[in-house]
Amino acid sequence: MESIKVNVLSKGAEAILLLKLWYGMLVVEKIRISKRYRNPHLDVMLRRARTILEARLLHEAKLLGIPVPALIDIDIRRNSLTMEYIPGKRLRDSLERFDKDFIECLFRNIGENVGILHSNGIVHGDLTTSNMILTETGNVYLIDFGLGGHTWDLEDMGTDIHLMLRALESTHTDIADLCFKAFINGYKKIMKDKTGEVLRKVKEIRSRGRYVAVEVRKSWRYY
Amino acid sequence: MSTIVLGIESTAHTFGVGIAADDKILANVNEIYIPRYGGLLPREAARHHLVKATRAIKNGLVRSNVRLEDVDAIAVSLGPGLGPCLRVGAMIARFLAVYFDKPLVPVNHAVAHVEIAIMATGTKDPLFVYVSGGNTMIVAYSKGRYRVFGETLDMPLGNFLDSFAREIGLPQPGVPRVEELASKGERLVELPYVVKGQDMSFSGLLTAALRELKKGVRLEDLCLSVIEYSYAMLAEVTERALAHTRKKELVLAGGVARSRRLQDIMRMVAEEHGAAFYVVPDEYAGDNGAMIAWTGLLAYKHGVSISPKESFIRQRWRMDEVEIPWRA
């Protein structure tokens, strides 16, 4: 790989992202870093499995027309993926500054895209606003498929939705309702009648949490 | 005159009495029910609490040199926990409040673990990893409440390790004994590693580990694998929450916080993200009366109280339902 300039773009919990120039094109190399706290054998196993899985899921999502970074290269020995650089901001940091209509529109769109993934047997595995990039043109790119998977299991789809809702409740408390309703509207457009089944599963997953009050919680009125 | 609060804890295996005054803990007396074999039977634990209650309260008062008449309020943990156990504490607290005409202050057990951790470690705005026999959650304060940034989807980590210990024939408490065997382990056995976003699941890990045991895997190796898999899952989720919330302090709280291996792991996680690391001191790590008294004191000073008639126990009272006026 011909790389002229290398910058550390960010250091996440799991991987380090390098911004590189690749034959004149800006790319991101995601290297899964070794964790000192993990048993070395477990560490190697996890990093390799996730790198391969993420490459597959990115490629498949791209074929489905979901806005994800295009996969360029995979290097198994370095546990690294090289993908297209998406200029924009993390949705987590920019969300609160927009007006209600725009936020609704964004989340309807995100809901649709997640619906397309689910209806094709793919789950993201870590749907939070930290894993979404908002571009200048108003597109939301989904990134970080490292915890995703191939599945037709209602449980996994429900977990995706549950994670989205939980991320909204804990990080965007004031607009969580608005965002989640719009998300479900978009999701319904693709998943149709199946939406009800998935949402029932979400409810079940949440009630399984050890100490969920028996009374229906305020935030559960979507069901 | 300082404000004095007497707190009663009885959510599970511990009947605890604590007395807190303004900025210090005056007494922390705890009676722990240990089953002769098998797991905790709620009814048996409740009976234990009833038998030990009077002595514990008397000891607390004597140690702190406080008379019940001098106490400003009675605090009690109304949940989450086991019904029969909770009822004992609630009954005694209601009686004391009515008989001595003191305000009754409801305390959420999980919030109390977090508050005593803040007090004991001297932190300001940390991320908590709260792991015990009944809870596994990662929480931080945000906008009036403690919010959950990750938790178990089924069994708590402490319960998982205790159940595993029991199945392989180790006495309770299981965690230190499993860790001891793990230190002699050499080879890692492949088990399911289940992290879903910010949440973990341990029940599949337990099933798989017991299946491996039947296949005749060396016990030490199995213990090593169980410890390494479960702690790595918790560490990963903690790391995500730390990166997400950008908190600069990490506090390990709850009964499993006593584990040296888990402490080492969490210290490394904190270091990687430039956060200072704290462990709750042993006396406040497990369930205890002092944490209820202390949290009751904070709540009482901010006008929180409940009429004894309405002081129902809440077995599934989530900590993110509780408003925290003293941090606002």
Side-chain angles (χ1 to χ4, degrees):
Chain A
M1 190 188 292
E2 175 221 18
S3 47
I4 299 161
K5 209 173 83 181
V6 177
N7 275 322
V8 176
L9 193 63
S10 84
K11 188 176 170 293
E14 195 193 6
I16 182 164
L17 297 183
L18 302 178
L19 187 62
K20 288 182 161 183
L21 210 52
W22 191 78
Y23 296 105
M25 180 188 178
L26 266 183
V27 297
V28 175
E29 186 181 19
K30 174 175 182 174
I31 308 171
R32 284 195 155 72
I33 39 185
S34 170
K35 295 288 171 192
R36 284 188 300 147
Y37 60 74
R38 261 194 310 238
N39 174 290
H41 181 71
L42 179 61
D43 188 61
V44 170
M45 227 166 56
L46 280 178
R47 285 190 292 149
R48 177 155 306 183
R50 285 181 182 173
T51 303
I52 295 172
L53 184 66
E54 183 168 16
R56 271 200 193 119
L57 294 175
L58 274 177
H59 178 63
E60 288 167 17
K62 195 77 180 168
L63 294 181
L64 291 170
I66 310 292
V68 294
L71 181 67
I72 293 167
D73 194 16
I74 170 168
D75 184 343
I76 278 303
R77 267 174 307 182
R78 270 158 70 86
N79 289 303
S80 93
L81 296 177
T82 302
M83 23 187 185
E84 165 195 15
Y85 171 67
I86 310 291
K89 287 216 164 72
R90 264 172 216 264
L91 197 57
R92 175 198 195 278
D93 304 321
S94 44
L95 192 55
E96 262 81 6
R97 99 172 70 104
F98 299 114
D99 66 41
K100 194 172 155 269
D101 290 350
F102 185 67
I103 293 177
E104 264 182 350
C105 175
L106 283 182
F107 273 88
R108 211 174 308 122
N109 190 251
I110 295 168
E112 260 179 58
N113 285 331
V114 173
I116 294 172
L117 288 175
H118 284 188
S119 60
N120 284 280
I122 295 175
V123 292
H124 179 277
D126 193 11
L127 274 184
T128 65
T129 47
S130 295
N131 286 333
M132 297 173 188
I133 294 179
L134 179 63
T135 64
E136 270 183 20
T137 50
N139 273 331
V140 176
Y141 276 72
L142 293 180
I143 59 167
D144 197 355
F145 279 72
L147 290 179
H150 296 98
T151 175
W152 292 101
D153 193 348
L154 218 50
E155 169 87 21
D156 295 316
M157 296 179 195
T159 304
D160 251 5
I161 308 297
H162 158 66
L163 291 173
M164 179 83 256
L165 178 53
R166 248 267 309 282
L168 290 172
E169 283 174 343
S170 57
T171 312
H172 308 283
T173 316
D174 302 333
I175 50 169
D177 267 23
L178 174 85
C179 296
F180 192 66
K181 268 185 199 139
F183 177 90
I184 290 300
N185 276 338
Y187 189 74
K188 223 179 234 164
K189 237 163 97 186
I190 307 295
M191 294 290 277
K192 306 268 182 329
D193 297 344
K194 197 120 197 261
T195 311
E197 264 177 79
V198 176
L199 287 180
R200 266 194 297 282
K201 199 74 193 177
V202 176
K203 198 174 175 183
E204 189 206 311
I205 292 168
R206 299 201 126 203
S207 63
R208 232 181 283 154
R210 292 275 293 184
Y211 296 124
V212 176
V214 184
E215 316 94 70
V216 177
R217 290 177 57 203
K218 213 171 70 196
S219 58
W220 291 11
R221 61 174 166 267
Y222 316 106
Y223 312 109
Chain B
M1 269 304 277
S2 56
T3 312
I4 300 175
V5 172
L6 181 139
I8 294 176
E9 154 69 23
S10 74
T11 55
H13 49 60
T14 300
F15 186 87
V17 175
I19 296 177
D22 278 347
D23 55 356
K24 56 181 182 291
I25 303 295
L26 300 178
N28 185 20
V29 178
N30 298 292
E31 298 282 353
I32 301 172
Y33 164 73
I34 297 167
R36 263 165 299 169
Y37 56 86
L40 183 149
L41 286 167
R43 232 176 4 173
E44 296 272 309
R47 202 205 318 258
H48 160 273
H49 294 350
L50 262 180
V51 171
K52 299 290 172 76
T54 319
R55 199 177 73 189
I57 294 170
K58 270 187 189 154
N59 280 347
L61 291 168
V62 168
R63 261 177 233 182
S64 52
N65 201 16
V66 166
R67 293 178 311 151
L68 262 172
E69 288 78 2
D70 307 330
V71 168
D72 292 280
I74 308 289
V76 60
S77 65
L78 288 180
L82 305 166
C85 302
L86 283 169
R87 264 173 223 118
V88 174
M91 180 187 71
I92 293 168
R94 282 181 210 127
F95 164 74
L96 291 176
V98 173
Y99 191 84
F100 291 93
D101 196 20
K102 308 284 182 194
L104 186 63
V105 182
V107 172
N108 177 292
H109 175 86
V111 170
H113 266 294
V114 166
E115 287 300 342
I116 198 84
I118 292 186
M119 197 271 285
T121 55
T123 44
K124 291 205 164 58
D125 182 24
L127 181 79
F128 292 93
V129 180
Y130 167 36
V131 268
S132 66
N135 287 282
T136 299
M137 22 168 83
I138 291 145
V139 295
Y141 178 81
S142 161
K143 293 187 185 164
R145 292 184 190 197
Y146 287 110
R147 312 262 170 198
V148 178
F149 288 91
E151 65 189 317
T152 175
L153 291 169
D154 37 60
M155 303 175 96
L157 179 56
N159 189 7
F160 159 68
L161 289 173
D162 280 346
S163 305
F164 174 72
R166 204 158 53 231
E167 293 288 339
I168 63 174
L170 298 176
Q172 304 287 318
V175 183
R177 294 182 167 98
V178 176
E179 282 192 0
E180 199 187 311
L181 279 176
S183 67
K184 294 177 198 122
E186 285 152 14
R187 201 181 63 86
L188 205 70
V189 184
E190 203 166 314
L191 296 170
Y193 181 98
V194 188
V195 166
K196 298 179 178 184
Q198 312 236 95
D199 294 333
M200 305 144 269
S201 160
F202 295 106
S203 63
L205 188 52
L206 180 64
T207 313
L210 297 179
R211 197 184 304 131
E212 292 295 324
L213 185 69
K214 280 203 194 108
K215 281 195 218 156
V217 172
R218 206 171 141 249
L219 195 57
E220 289 84 350
D221 290 342
L222 193 58
C223 288
L224 172 73
S225 313
V226 159
I227 291 285
E228 290 302 322
Y229 267 79
S230 56
Y231 289 1
M233 280 158 58
L234 184 67
E236 176 171 8
V237 178
T238 305
E239 220 186 334
R240 284 166 181 275
L242 210 51
H244 186 78
T245 59
R246 295 168 197 162
K247 301 273 183 194
K248 285 294 153 214
E249 298 161 320
L250 180 68
V251 173
L252 184 58
V256 191
R258 294 195 188 97
S259 155
R260 296 282 172 256
R261 174 69 184 136
L262 189 58
Q263 288 177 11
D264 289 344
I265 288 175
M266 288 297 163
R267 189 173 295 112
M268 288 188 253
V269 169
E271 271 170 17
E272 268 187 43
H273 291 267
F277 177 67
Y278 304 85
V279 184
V280 178
D282 268 8
E283 55 176 325
Y284 300 132
D287 294 354
N288 62 86
M291 67 183 197
I292 306 300
W294 175 250
T295 312
L297 183 74
L298 295 172
Y300 175 65
K301 282 186 173 171
H302 283 79
V304 178
S305 74
I306 192 168
S307 136
K309 273 188 189 163
E310 284 155 23
S311 61
F312 303 112
I313 59 159
R314 299 179 65 182
Q315 282 140 290
R316 289 167 175 265
W317 190 13
R318 273 183 77 89
M319 76 186 300
D320 50 10
E321 292 173 38
V322 183
E323 288 186 23
I324 312 291
W326 56 90
R327 302 228 164 263

